[in-house]
Amino acid sequence: MRLEIGNFHIQDVDFGDETVFENGLLTINKEKALQVVYEDDRITDADIVIARPNDPIRITPVKDAVEPRCKVSDDAMFPGVTNKLVPAGTGRMHVLKGGCVLAVGKHWGGFQDGLIDMSGPGSYQTMFSYLVNICLVADTNEDEENNEQQKRNTALRHAAMRLSEYLGECVRDMEPDGLEVYELPPLNQSDDRVRKLPGVVYVLQLQSQMIESGYNSLVYGWDTGNMLPTLLHPNELLDGAVVSGSFMPSSSKISTYQHVNNATVKRLMWEHGVTINFLGVIVSNLNVALEEKQRSAMRVKQIANSLGAEGAVVCEEGYGNPDTDFILAISELEDAGIRTVGITNEATGRDGRSQPLVDLSIKADALVSTGNVSQLLRLDPMEMVVGDLQSLARDGNSGGWEGSIKADGSIEMENNGIFCADANTGNHFKTVVEY
């Protein structure tokens, strides 16, 4: 399978008469862009606000992030979700790099929603502070969700996908600044030199703990709570086959933007044929009942064994209850003789002294930490708030509480509520401080 990604690098974004990209400037016709948003009649009120790096802007509640892009070949973006169900992973994609569409609630937030600061100390917490953010700020008529801590946010999240595709269409017929090519042949077509390299799989554990539909991550539009672990070609992930869900403390969330830009998968692709034989992506899920956890871990091992894997990288979306799925998968792989590295965050308390994971095993002896969800942050007020700052304390944001917002507009919160701060896919720039 061969996937070509043509990149157009955004320097700035502004509003104008037409939606065009020229000399690094993305100009958006706001009226036409909002027409795409209002295609879903559940959206009652919407606006688009631009937030640039170093702006004195705070954005919350953020529900998802989507990269502006379009499929140039005869395929579809986000197959099975906002477009027809077709195979992903081949053809050509054009991408507006450096820009991002954020789905932001105008009034209602929840446990799974996050905060982004475009400047100041808070901006060091998440990669999204360094992108030019096109904020879709909207209300919906989903009144039954407004007072719920857990919200599906389906209308707004899917509107962000449609908006990102609308913006991406403006570079459909243009020549990109650069071209990335991702190509991985069928396993039986690899040459002898590649087959002699260590076989490695990437295991992506997607959040799927909600029983009702509409909350969990999607694979080709299919609720991951109803699936067994399955094998994907890496290109399928980079081409939009996986869409972020709406249940997960925000710092631990893997956004739709991060799925298609999964830095770990891209690095494994680059290492294929050089240091490793990259065998593919095993998409797994995170369950509630112990038997379900054991079943998924067993299937991950069976798939990896069938592929002849000698090494594995396991990425967990979330923490707490999912730590058991994470450790079980690592243990099963290690028992099969497959050397495994795990990537996850920690919940060590504000003082860093608590047990980092709910479940542990001596077999999990190679773990990469992406941060402490309980890290306490004190952030100065911002000149402008996009969205609704009160939602941080009022609506159960996983990092906020009553009293988080001070009289002067400054806030106190945990890293838990910073949007995608822990970046378990490797789109990350935090490091460990050694004491």
Side-chain angles (χ1 to χ4, degrees), residues 199-276:
V200 175
V201 293
Y202 178 75
V203 181
L204 178 59
Q205 293 185 308
L206 297 170
Q207 185 51 239
S208 59
Q209 291 182 280
M210 297 297 281
I211 296 173
E212 295 183 28
S213 63
Y215 295 95
N216 295 329
S217 303
L218 302 175
V219 177
Y220 282 108
W222 188 258
D223 190 312
T224 50
N226 300 320
M227 65 172 273
L228 283 171
T230 189
L231 180 67
L232 291 184
H233 191 286
N235 286 1
E236 294 178 90
L237 181 66
L238 301 179
D239 199 21
V242 178
V243 167
S244 178
S246 189
F247 172 74
M248 177 41 51
S250 189
S251 70
S252 307
K253 185 194 293 286
I254 301 176
S255 66
T256 301
Y257 180 103
Q258 290 164 304
H259 282 309
V260 298
N261 287 287
N262 188 302
T264 307
V265 168
K266 286 187 174 184
R267 180 58 185 268
L268 291 169
M269 290 285 276
W270 294 335
E271 293 293 333
H272 176 74
V274 181
T275 61
I276 63 169

Side-chain angles (χ1 to χ4, degrees), residues 58-63 103-116 137-139 145-151 153 156 250 385-406 409 411-413 417-418:
R58 178 163 289 151
I59 311 167
T60 192
V62 183
K63 302 168 185 301
V104 184
K106 188 171 184 179
H107 289 114
W108 300 104
F111 175 76
Q112 66 289 317
D113 298 336
L115 180 145
I116 297 171
V137 189
D139 265 344
E145 287 196 3
N146 287 344
N147 294 313
E148 296 291 332
Q149 187 185 48
Q150 298 292 345
K151 297 175 176 63
N153 294 317
L156 183 48
S250 189
V385 173
V386 173
D388 180 14
L389 182 59
Q390 297 303 317
S391 69
L392 173 66
R394 183 192 64 216
D395 298 335
N397 176 299
S398 51
W401 57 88
E402 185 178 351
S404 285
I405 305 167
K406 309 305 177 184
I411 58 176
E412 185 177 62
M413 64 181 296
I418 299 289

Side-chain angles (χ1 to χ4, degrees), residues 220-384:
Y220 282 108
W222 188 258
D223 190 312
T224 50
N226 300 320
M227 65 172 273
L228 283 171
T230 189
L231 180 67
L232 291 184
H233 191 286
N235 286 1
E236 294 178 90
L237 181 66
L238 301 179
D239 199 21
V242 178
V243 167
S244 178
S246 189
F247 172 74
M248 177 41 51
S250 189
S251 70
S252 307
K253 185 194 293 286
I254 301 176
S255 66
T256 301
Y257 180 103
Q258 290 164 304
H259 282 309
V260 298
N261 287 287
N262 188 302
T264 307
V265 168
K266 286 187 174 184
R267 180 58 185 268
L268 291 169
M269 290 285 276
W270 294 335
E271 293 293 333
H272 176 74
V274 181
T275 61
I276 63 169
N277 178 11
F278 188 22
L279 302 173
V281 175
I282 302 174
V283 178
S284 185
N285 49 9
L286 298 164
N287 305 285
V288 177
L290 181 58
E291 183 178 348
E292 294 171 354
K293 296 175 185 289
Q294 292 170 331
R295 183 184 296 111
S296 288
M298 180 190 72
R299 288 301 305 146
V300 166
K301 178 186 72 175
Q302 294 290 75
I303 295 171
N305 254 339
S306 297
L307 295 171
E310 299 170 63
V313 178
V314 179
C315 171
E316 176 190 9
E317 182 180 17
Y319 67 94
N321 185 292
D323 290 346
T324 300
D325 305 73
F326 179 62
I327 294 299
L328 276 172
I330 292 174
S331 297
E332 288 281 347
L333 290 164
E334 288 282 347
D335 286 344
I338 300 171
R339 298 294 292 136
T340 304
V341 173
I343 304 175
T344 186
N345 52 22
E346 306 174 58
T348 59
R350 296 178 186 177
D351 60 1
R353 296 178 181 272
S354 298
Q355 179 172 304
L357 302 175
V358 169
D359 205 349
L360 292 170
S361 169
I362 59 172
K363 299 172 186 176
D365 59 0
L367 299 180
V368 176
S369 170
T370 61
N372 176 19
V373 303
S374 307
Q375 178 188 2
L376 187 63
L377 305 171
R378 294 181 175 87
L379 305 175
D380 291 336
M382 288 286 175
E383 293 179 18
M384 179 180 178

